[in-house]
Amino acid sequence: MELGISTFVETTPDVNTGETLSHAQRLREVVEEIVLADQVGLDVYGVGEHHRPDFAASSPAVLMAAAAPLTNRIRLTSAVMILSSADPVRVFQDFATLDGISNGRAEIMVGRGSFVESFPLFGYDLKDYEALFDEKLDLLLKLRESEKVTWSGKHRPAIHNLGIYPRPEQNLLPVWIASAGSPESAVRAGTLGLPFALAIIGNVNPSDYATHVRLYKEAAAKAGHDVSQLPIASHSHGFIAKSNELALEKFFPSTHARTNVRAVEKGLPPYHRADYEAASSFDGALYVGDPVTVARKIIHLYQHVGITRFLLHVPHGSMPHTEVMEAIRLFGTEVAPLVRAEAARLKNV
């Protein structure tokens, strides 16, 4: 059971002070957060790609490369790269470079993107949303399989027996498929035999995602893959403090503000304290509380959904850096030992 942190490198206004950190300052803070996550024994840190003023993470591989020489064992992954609007050659080269700098600790997690600002930015039409992802994923997988590649498609110029460099330190650079809950994504990942990551966020019951895991495993088995060797991850917002009350109070203001920004953008109803309380309950998708509470929810997910990796997305919106660092410290030193011990026990039952 692997445990880690994910972030979009938020630079939204602080709900208490109104201050908005510069992109540069927030990027430096995230490097510190990655270093701490490594020091407290977490397994993975993920950075999601975005191209908006309220996020500073347009280049996840560059950001994680800054932290790579300062860390020893933590794996470094995108969470996610929006592959549909990216050049797979450049994505592979960036993460192969990160893999070399980190001595073989890089991973690529790709998705179609729930934020779509990158499509007009890089000159892509949203009507090609599905076709772009399928075609570019095909190319990315070919790039990692051999040094020289011949490939042709509709949305990118062909490649004729060209070498792609640098080559990664790992024999096969891990590529994950991430999904916000699409059954088609689960089947695609399983058919290809790729690791699968679920974004379990919003007004949902995490246990319901067992259906997606079942579809994923069935597709993998049908395609002839060894299901026992395929990792399954989940990603959810959350926060950890010494007590449940403190965690709930500290995490609410930024979560409330950030969720309502997205509600306006998507034309959804306003987000209220009652919604937050429901999502923070045992059956909700917010992992907020003291170490024991958060550990119990992760163990439940491990038991009833079948995940092998859990990513805690913190902060949601902008929170004081000291509070984020304390949440990471508690996750590594108090939550992780509880989860790992119970997961090991359950595996041997």
Side-chain angles (χ1 to χ4, degrees), residues 88-322:
V89 173
R90 203 59 176 144
V91 170
F92 180 85
Q93 290 174 325
D94 286 348
F95 280 85
T97 300
L98 173 62
D99 201 53
I101 294 170
S102 65
N103 194 27
R105 291 184 280 127
E107 299 179 1
I108 309 174
M109 187 184 295
V110 298
R112 290 173 295 177
S114 59
F115 292 74
V116 295
E117 69 276 358
S118 62
F119 286 80
L121 181 64
F122 295 112
Y124 292 99
D125 195 323
L126 279 171
K127 71 178 176 60
D128 299 322
Y129 185 80
E130 299 286 350
L132 281 165
F133 183 80
D134 290 342
E135 181 177 291
K136 293 189 175 190
L137 179 61
D138 177 65
L139 175 54
L140 180 63
L141 295 179
K142 284 183 169 58
L143 295 170
R144 72 173 189 156
E145 289 166 4
S146 59
E147 180 177 332
K148 290 195 172 183
V149 173
T150 296
W151 177 91
S152 63
K154 179 181 177 182
H155 298 282
R156 188 202 185 281
I159 301 172
H160 300 288
N161 196 34
L162 296 177
I164 309 299
Y165 307 104
R167 302 310 298 176
E169 180 75 6
Q170 299 174 84
N171 289 332
L172 202 63
L173 193 60
V175 173
W176 293 65
I177 289 184
S179 169
S182 161
E184 292 78 14
S185 294
V187 172
R188 178 192 288 114
T191 301
L192 292 170
L194 297 176
F196 183 47
L198 283 162
I200 303 179
I201 57 177
N203 183 26
V204 298
N205 184 329
S207 294
D208 292 342
Y209 284 77
T211 301
H212 296 77
V213 172
R214 177 179 55 79
L215 289 171
Y216 168 68
K217 289 183 175 181
E218 287 175 352
K222 184 177 180 180
H225 303 294
D226 184 351
V227 175
S228 68
Q229 299 303 307
L230 294 177
I232 302 167
S234 67
H235 144 107
S236 294
H237 298 112
F239 184 74
I240 306 160
K242 280 295 186 181
S243 71
N244 286 327
E245 294 77 12
L246 186 62
L248 287 164
E249 290 309 313
K250 284 185 176 293
F251 198 57
F252 175 70
S254 62
T255 297
H256 178 256
R258 185 66 208 154
T259 305
N260 275 316
V261 167
R262 289 293 288 153
V264 170
E265 291 176 351
K266 290 189 168 187
L268 299 174
Y271 185 77
H272 299 293
R273 179 71 188 220
D275 302 310
Y276 176 74
E277 298 284 352
S280 300
S281 69
F282 188 77
D283 293 323
L286 286 180
Y287 288 71
V288 182
D290 64 24
V292 172
T293 297
V294 173
R296 285 180 61 239
K297 290 189 70 169
I298 296 172
I299 291 164
H300 185 78
L301 200 62
Y302 169 80
Q303 239 182 322
H304 297 279
V305 177
I307 63 163
T308 60
R309 173 185 284 186
F310 176 84
L311 294 176
L312 183 77
H313 188 100
V314 59
H316 186 203
S318 292
M319 297 181 69
H321 181 48
T322 53

